[in-house]
Amino acid sequence: MTTTTTLLEEISVPEGIGRPIPDAATREVIAYAPVHTTEDLDRAIADARAAQPGWAALGHAERSRILHAIADEIEANAEELAVLLSREQGKPLNGPNARFEVGACALWTRSAADTPLEPEVVFEAGESRAEVHYEPLGVVGAIGPWNWPMMISVWQIAPSLRMGNTVVVKPSEYTPLSVLALAAVFNRHLPEGVLTVVSGDREVGASIAAHPGLDKIMFTGSTETGRRIVEASAHNLARLTLELGGNDPGIILPGTDIAAIAENLFWGIFLNTGQTCAALKRLYVHDSQYEQVVETLANLAAAMPSGNGLDEANVLGPLQNEKQFDVVRRLVDDARARGARIVTGGAAAPEHGPLFYQTTVVADIDDGAPLVDEEQFGPVIPVIRYSEVDDAVRRANASSQGLGASVWSSDVDAATEVARRVQAGTVWINQHGAINPNVPFGGIKASGYGQEFGVAGLKAVAAPQVIQR
């Protein structure tokens, strides 16, 4: 008789050795994650350095074949991965949530394998010719977040592997199990040392940023932490890709068909219960349609089922951790104290679990309130009036952050004209937060620098070499 070991059993360590990881919805312990040290990090980077030449020598075609095999493996284990992700992170299985995220892992892995990156002829005259080739950097250190732990890890891992690098991953302390399980699936097809997860605390994360054995650091997380990584990496001049916080604005232009955009607008705001860097976080609406938009969002918010993510009926889940729950509660309480109108929601939802917060729409609020000026990262949207489009653009651009933005209108040409004036790495028209593995993605201002996805993403994890004759 044979027994099958689950991914969770494969990656967990015994109680008393590891750190307890709670279910985001119930707060019951799921399993115990390994607690790696800086010495473990040193060994992982040394192993990655030793494995890198052999991995690079396989060539693009073989590495791409292996990535396709990994994508197949992800799909074969999709439901087990989705259930673990739902429990640890909190997002429901259904809707644009856990099953969606696991599917995106396979999609982005295949895209990294299939995106062509040929040598570029940049000069040619007579017998003179200059070409740009792209070679592996070496070892990539990847530091991921807790909101989309599997998908964003793949954004870092898959292109790095495709280009012949080896990777050492440091997952968030809140969601290590998801990343450990994903890496276990990858490692069924990778040589030893090519991909290692170091599941440690903040000390390990800080050591990655300053480690002399890394050639590239990729980080998704807060602007504050991103600044510390820039400072720490100065000593070894590691290349950086930083996808930092966002306080994305949306502008609804006068005369827009609100019913036609309502569903896209809602999910642009409340995707992953609002816990998305590139979610719409402050919405500017013209006086003429202000109350209609507020009422439409409030009705949708009241109708969307929230609760434990393993319940197939739910599409909204809890805040992932106590710290983020406290941020959301503080910002809404402050808005209420300032006289803002809480149209729907505005309180905890303990009937669902300790860290659930009602889906909340806040009206009659303005710039200067913390709920507008800060990134709430939760199921709350402040809706702000404007009278002139130029003023809405000015206010949208007033933030120090510039990850994403959106313009909404029944006149796509008018929306595009306004979009060109908005300061953000991506400006969507009649949608928000939609991403494509072939389309570059990255922020400006305090939202970081460097691009991911497609050809730009491959180049970001490669060393350009000019061959000139």
Side-chain angles (χ1 to χ4, degrees), residues 243-278:
E243 197 264 88
L244 308 180
N247 193 12
D248 290 14
I251 302 173
I252 299 181
L253 300 184
T256 300
D257 183 345
I258 302 304
I261 67 169
E263 197 80 12
N264 280 351
L265 183 64
F266 180 87
W267 285 114
I269 296 165
F270 295 109
L271 176 69
N272 194 24
T273 314
Q275 298 167 110
T276 298
C277 296

Side-chain angles (χ1 to χ4, degrees), residues 350-363:
E351 67 274 16
H352 297 311
L355 299 184
F356 282 83
Y357 199 90
Q358 296 172 353
T359 311
T360 302
V361 177
V362 179

Side-chain angles (χ1 to χ4, degrees), residues 393-418:
V393 172
R394 178 190 63 79
R395 292 155 77 182
N397 289 340
S399 173
S400 63
Q401 295 174 312
L403 185 56
S406 55
V407 182
W408 306 75
S409 176
S410 300
D411 184 339
V412 173
D413 291 338
T416 302
E417 187 277 327
V418 172

Side-chain angles (χ1 to χ4, degrees), residues 54 133 185 189 216 253 319 350 432:
H133 295 251
V185 170
H189 299 270
K216 168 87 182 188
L253 300 184
L319 277 303
H432 197 113

